[in-house]
């Protein structure tokens, strides 16, 4: 019995990157649903502020013993990850505030296409046949959901968020791919510290928050009820777990693999949307 348990544990540990990636996708799917609900009650700016504030908490877990390893290139990569993380957070909150979160997830998670290409060009990560097939299927799904006029006719975009929502979702995919690739580059350079990356995102985000608030200043909706506070706290906690799992996955798996597994959020988002909301799926 003991040898069997040991074998299972060792096998699970060997695949920890895949396990963490799937857990991250599950948490992100639930977070998407909560954001979709809470943005009907409070402003996206408030949600962004709360999550940025939470990003400052990992300061106690930073690997200060890595400080002598950092070179100018590492510092630039860390700042780039922070900027990309802020882009992901802001664009995701806006994208998932729109109807049909399953469709939004599909567009946001078109990033495997970008990750595979950049991973090969910048990180020399291998591409196997299964990766190529999954990326192709993901791309086809994104095209079908966006319903471009050259395939479906007419002038309108099928995605219910409209052209602005579509562009925001695509921007989120681009920011996410950039964040993954830069993180994997830090892993290759042996200077990868998830806590420092989160803290950097929080600091950069807090510095940029006044600009974000100016954009949303005329439409700010503040927390008014205990339900609002509860939903906001739930979103922050779930998002924190999702990010932590994703960063842990990136520590041991290629960016393309993590991003491909993350596309399971599309199915989970659709399932949660059908079960827990009245929003249409198609």
């Amino acid at each position: 019995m003991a040898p069997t348990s040991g074998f299972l544990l060792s096998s699970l540990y060997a695949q920890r990157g895949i396990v963490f990636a799937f857990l991250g996708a599950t948490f992100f799917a639930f977070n998407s649903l909560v954001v979709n609900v809470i943005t009907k009650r409070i402003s996206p700016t408030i949600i962004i502020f709360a999550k940025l504030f939470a990003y400052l908490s990992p300061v106690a877990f930073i690997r200060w013993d890595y400080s002598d390893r950092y070179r100018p290139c590492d510092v630039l990569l860390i700042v780039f990850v922070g900027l990309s993380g802020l882009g992901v957070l802001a664009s995701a909150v806006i994208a998932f505030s729109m109807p049909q979160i399953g469709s939004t997830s599909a567009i946001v998670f078109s990033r495997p296409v970008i990750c595979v290409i950049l991973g090969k060009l910048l990180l020399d990560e291998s591409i196997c046949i299964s990766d190529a097939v999954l990326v192709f299927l993901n791309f086809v799904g994104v095209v079908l959901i966006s319903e471009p006029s050259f395939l479906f006719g007419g002038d309108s975009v099928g995605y219910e968020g409209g052209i602005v929502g579509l562009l925001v979702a695509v921007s989120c995919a681009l920011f996410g791919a950039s964040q993954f690739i830069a993180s994997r580059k830090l892993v290759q350079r042996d200077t990868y510290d998830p806590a420092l990356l989160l803290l950097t995102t929080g600091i950069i985000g807090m510095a940029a928050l006044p600009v974000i608030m100016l954009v949303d200043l005329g439409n700010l909706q503040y927390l008014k009820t205990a339900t609002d506070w509860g939903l906001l706290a739930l979103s922050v906690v779930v998002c924190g777990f999702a990010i932590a799992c994703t960063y842990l996955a990136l520590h041991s798996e290629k960016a393309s693999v993590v991003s491909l597994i993350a596309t399971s959020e599309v199915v989970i988002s659709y399932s949660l949307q059908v079960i827990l909301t009245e929003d249409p799926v198609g």
Side-chain angles (χ1 to χ4, degrees):
M1 185 69 179
T4 303
S5 300
F7 173 76
L8 290 174
L9 288 174
S10 62
S11 300
L12 188 63
Y13 181 77
Q15 302 298 324
R16 62 191 182 282
I18 294 175
V19 173
F20 280 126
F22 182 75
L23 287 174
T26 304
F27 283 124
F28 270 125
F30 190 72
N31 174 69
S32 302
L33 178 65
V34 176
V35 169
N36 185 257
V37 172
I38 197 174
T39 47
K40 295 179 175 65
R41 306 171 65 96
I42 65 175
S43 298
T45 303
I46 304 298
I47 304 172
I48 293 171
F49 169 77
K51 292 186 176 183
L52 286 173
F53 187 78
Y55 286 2
L56 302 178
S57 60
V59 63
F61 301 97
I62 291 177
R63 296 290 304 271
W64 299 109
D65 54 313
Y66 279 16
S67 58
D68 59 338
R69 303 184 186 183
Y70 297 131
R71 300 293 180 265
C73 179
D74 299 310
V75 175
L76 289 174
L77 283 170
I78 291 169
V79 172
F80 183 76
V81 171
L83 289 170
S84 300
L86 175 60
V88 170
L89 174 60
S91 55
V93 169
I94 296 171
F96 287 116
S97 68
M98 306 200 177
Q100 296 183 301
I101 58 174
S103 299
T104 301
S105 293
I107 296 169
V108 167
F109 286 90
S110 61
R111 69 181 175 205
V113 179
I114 309 168
C115 281
V116 167
I117 295 172
L118 293 182
K120 180 61 179 177
L121 293 176
L122 302 179
L123 305 177
D124 198 28
E125 292 185 340
S126 59
I127 302 176
C128 60
I129 296 177
S130 59
D131 289 343
V133 171
L134 288 172
V135 167
F136 175 75
L137 292 176
N138 177 266
F139 177 74
V140 170
V142 171
V143 171
L144 292 177
I145 285 173
S146 62
E147 295 185 13
S149 58
F150 67 86
L151 286 179
F152 294 88
D155 299 323
S156 61
V157 178
Y159 178 65
E160 191 171 323
I163 189 63
V164 174
L166 184 63
L167 289 175
V168 171
V170 171
S171 296
C172 188
L174 292 171
F175 282 125
S178 301
Q179 184 184 32
F180 276 27
I181 294 298
S183 296
R184 284 296 297 173
K185 187 64 176 179
L186 287 169
V187 172
Q188 287 186 350
R189 295 177 60 85
D190 198 24
T191 52
Y192 183 69
D193 184 356
L196 179 59
L197 296 179
L198 271 179
L199 178 64
T200 303
T201 302
I203 293 173
I204 293 174
M206 285 299 184
L209 192 62
V211 177
I212 299 174
M213 291 186 68
L214 282 175
V215 174
D216 198 29
L217 190 59
N219 303 307
L220 283 179
Q221 294 176 287
Y222 297 98
L223 299 158
K224 298 176 182 178
T225 66
T227 302
D228 294 342
W229 284 96
L231 286 172
L232 181 61
L234 179 62
S235 177
V236 170
V237 171
V238 173
C239 184
F241 279 120
I243 292 172
C245 289
T246 302
Y247 273 136
L248 288 171
L250 285 169
H251 192 272
S252 54
E253 284 292 344
K254 297 184 297 182
S256 57
V257 172
V258 176
S259 61
L260 282 168
I261 296 173
T263 58
S264 61
E265 182 187 334
V266 178
V267 177
I268 301 171
S269 290
Y270 270 114
S271 301
L272 290 174
Q273 186 177 7
V274 171
I275 295 170
L276 302 177
T277 77
E278 297 179 354
D279 289 329
V281 174

